[in-house]
Amino acid sequence: MSEAKITLHDPKTGQTHELPVYHGTYGSPVIDITRLHAKTGYFTFDPGFVSTASCESRITYLDGEKGELLYRGYPIEQLAEKCSFLEVFYLLVHGELPTPEQRREVEHAITHHTLINESLLEFFKGFHYDAHPMAMLTAVVASLSAFYHDSLDINDPEHRLQTAYRLLAKLPTIAAAAYKHRVGEPFMYPRNNLSYCGNFLHMMYARPTEDYEIDPVAEQALDTLFILHADHEQNASTSTVRLAGSTGTNPYAAVAAGIAALWGPAHGGANEAVLAMLDEIGDVKNIDKFIARAKDKNDPFRLMGFGHRVYKNFDPRAKIIKRICHKVLERYGNDPRFELAMRLEEIALKDEYFIERKLYPNVDFYSGIIYSALGFPREMFTVLFAIGRAAGWIAHWLEMMDDPRRKIGRPRQLYTGPARRDVPR
Ligand code: ACO
């Protein structure tokens, strides 16, 4: 990280102030404003953090103009093709891809910690049968902190890593239990001889009354989707995990906060919203009407799965997902919504409104069609996103805990409310 200076001139006082400028490996340089208020009396104003780097990180880089995504320097396309999700988890957490021995170790550590405390299973009974699985996931993940006191010293690096592995291991178990609760089927215990995704499919779809065979196409598609969702630098949910974690709260609570943030339709909830939108459009002949609605500022409708805060070009994940979609539908039969989505993409990409604003399909545009083909109900889509993204949340929480400059996250504000006044009584 190289350092330069930028000079700020305050016309009000006539004073000049020098602020350090840092250049990272890639990306825009940043102005260090940590001493700005102390030096000048000014705060900065940046709703939505559109111009603010909230931390230094060595995990993920994305170039929104080029449509490039790198985890620890490796392009997402190569990781999706050559690695497993657990290898990518290892990479995000440890900074390097695992050796064969490290791979076996991480696979063993994760696939042998998949059981959850039996009392946690009782929690699900407290939810109404139609509770949203994201509500159950948020609550049960937060509750993990009530069960694993033995490894909750956040100042102990070994405890931190153990908790990190535990979280990733138990998430599919909790997710599948939420699904089974909704459909009223008996909970299926995890099987340690299965892969991470094979085990998840088993817990989702197996029943005690019959054999269940894991389909390698589904297992592979899910594994790649988890890789594609694993991290995306300081997105809303990851920033939430960091902000919650900055207070010193335990990682289960911090990740539960991240899950809650992911739920929103402007973030991870968009994959659910895309299918709802495709169902609502219903037919290619209605596309023009919905495109017109998306462009109408008086209509709250937006083209779900389109646009991104950082990507002003194709989201590289969307391209890979579109290819997986073809493969999965070859296996499971065509879904007319895929045709509809591709036609919608084609029309939108030629439309001046979308071109001008650089709105392209994002990661969520095609993922729901794959999940649907694999038998997941719509309400589970964001849960699947959460399992993949947990790898990134964990890596960022660990990185933050190791950062000697860690401070509690506490933004300031521009107050425009009433001036001081007395209660008229
Ligand atoms: N449909 C129609 N218009 C859109 C869309 C869309 N999907 N997205 C952005 N725009 C328009 C806005 O109306 C705005 O137009 P204006 O300049 O005329 O006012 C312009 O494009 C810029 O949009 P902002 O909302 O300012 O961009 P921002 O970076 O704040 O939002 C976001 C990004 C939230 C992703 C937005 O594009 C969106 O709502 N997309 C749909 C939801 C979605 O797919 N979310 C998933 C994101 S990826 C993820 O989280 C995994």
Side-chain angles (χ1 to χ4, degrees):
M1 194 168 64
S2 60
E3 194 178 314
K5 299 256 188 257
I6 199 162
T7 306
L8 193 73
H9 175 70
D10 182 353
K12 212 167 117 197
T13 61
Q15 285 181 325
T16 55
H17 306 278
E18 288 208 318
L19 298 170
V21 173
Y22 307 133
H23 292 259
T25 314
Y26 298 122
S28 302
V30 300
I31 304 169
D32 181 346
I33 55 161
T34 45
R35 305 267 312 135
L36 182 73
H37 187 254
K39 278 182 170 179
T40 68
Y42 288 105
F43 287 130
T44 56
F45 182 61
D46 185 19
F49 308 119
V50 289
S51 295
T52 297
S54 61
C55 63
E56 183 189 338
S57 180
R58 303 170 68 85
I59 301 174
T60 289
Y61 174 71
L62 70 103
D63 185 326
E65 295 297 329
K66 262 168 66 185
E68 180 177 64
L69 174 61
L70 310 174
Y71 293 168
R72 301 281 190 183
Y74 295 112
I76 190 68
E77 293 82 0
Q78 292 179 26
L79 293 169
E81 191 192 324
K82 300 178 183 187
C83 300
S84 71
F85 174 58
L86 289 189
E87 285 176 299
V88 169
F89 167 71
Y90 187 96
L91 171 72
L92 291 171
V93 165
H94 298 282
E96 294 298 336
L97 281 166
T99 60
E101 196 189 331
Q102 288 164 336
R103 195 191 70 219
R104 277 190 295 278
E105 274 168 23
V106 70
E107 281 171 0
H108 187 274
I110 303 281
T111 53
H112 285 71
H113 282 96
T114 47
L115 272 174
I116 55 174
N117 191 297
E118 285 291 302
S119 316
L120 271 170
L121 286 179
E122 296 297 315
F123 282 36
F124 289 94
K125 293 191 184 144
F127 287 99
H128 204 246
Y129 75 94
D130 61 354
H132 198 289
M134 282 297 278
M136 293 190 257
L137 191 73
T138 313
V140 177
V141 167
S143 308
L144 288 172
S145 50
F147 289 84
Y148 300 104
H149 305 284
D150 59 321
S151 56
L152 267 185
D153 179 358
I154 56 165
N155 297 313
D156 180 334
E158 265 183 41
H159 280 205
R160 295 207 290 259
L161 202 59
Q162 197 180 344
T163 306
Y165 278 38
R166 230 177 220 163
L167 249 166
L168 199 77
K170 295 182 194 310
L171 263 176
T173 314
I174 297 168
Y179 169 73
K180 288 293 194 190
H181 178 70
R182 269 180 75 90
V183 292
E185 286 183 8
F187 170 72
M188 294 300 293
Y189 283 93
R191 298 266 301 272
N192 290 350
N193 61 335
L194 297 175
S195 72
Y196 189 75
C197 290
N199 185 39
F200 180 47
L201 288 167
H202 157 80
M203 290 186 289
M204 282 285 304
Y205 299 126
R207 295 191 185 107
T209 46
E210 59 201 61
D211 289 336
Y212 174 76
E213 213 174 294
I214 293 153
D215 174 17
V217 174
E219 191 179 9
Q220 182 57 57
L222 209 51
D223 200 75
T224 311
L225 281 164
F226 286 164
I227 293 174
L228 299 179
H229 284 95
D231 195 37
H232 217 227
E233 51 119 304
Q234 311 310 322
N235 57 86
S237 56
T238 304
S239 297
T240 303
V241 172
R242 279 187 178 261
L243 189 61
S246 77
T247 67
T249 191
N250 71 75
Y252 300 117
V255 167
I259 296 171
L262 186 75
W263 195 356
H267 192 10
N271 53 15
E272 193 179 332
V274 170
L275 269 217
M277 176 187 78
L278 292 175
D279 284 341
E280 199 188 341
I281 298 176
D283 194 283
V284 176
K285 69 174 192 296
N286 300 324
I287 290 181
D288 287 348
K289 194 174 82 196
F290 280 87
I291 295 261
R293 281 188 62 193
K295 298 193 295 192
D296 180 357
K297 294 288 162 219
N298 298 317
D299 189 329
F301 176 80
R302 278 192 164 195
L303 212 52
M304 298 314 285
F306 253 78
H308 196 275
R309 168 61 60 79
V310 186
Y311 289 121
K312 301 303 166 198
N313 197 331
F314 257 98
D315 181 335
R317 303 166 300 174
K319 285 188 191 168
I320 303 171
I321 290 181
K322 197 173 171 183
R323 281 201 297 273
I324 303 175
C325 207
H326 278 288
K327 249 192 218 162
V328 167
L329 294 185
E330 244 169 59
R331 169 83 178 81
Y332 289 91
N334 201 19
D335 180 338
R337 289 173 298 189
F338 188 36
E339 300 296 329
L340 188 58
M342 286 196 294
R343 189 78 189 107
L344 191 61
E345 175 189 341
E346 202 185 313
I347 293 172
L349 292 182
K350 284 188 195 140
D351 190 295
E352 209 38 53
Y353 174 94
F354 292 88
I355 296 170
E356 223 173 67
R357 290 167 181 77
K358 299 184 175 171
L359 301 170
Y360 290 87
N362 60 46
V363 69
D364 287 323
F365 194 62
Y366 290 109
S367 59
I369 297 168
I370 303 176
Y371 295 145
S372 184
L374 300 183
F376 291 96
R378 216 186 273 167
E379 313 74 54
M380 283 298 285
F381 292 180
T382 314
V383 171
L384 296 165
F385 192 155
I387 298 175
R389 184 54 56 86
W393 292 334
I394 290 165
H396 280 273
W397 177 76
L398 287 168
E399 182 180 65
M400 183 192 67
M401 294 306 291
D402 251 348
D403 186 346
R405 287 175 309 180
R406 172 167 64 98
K407 277 175 104 64
I408 182 170
R410 199 330 185 162
R412 306 303 291 249
Q413 63 168 6
L414 172 66
Y415 175 72
T416 54
R420 188 201 152 97
R421 53 186 168 163
D422 294 320
V423 175
R425 267 194 266 144

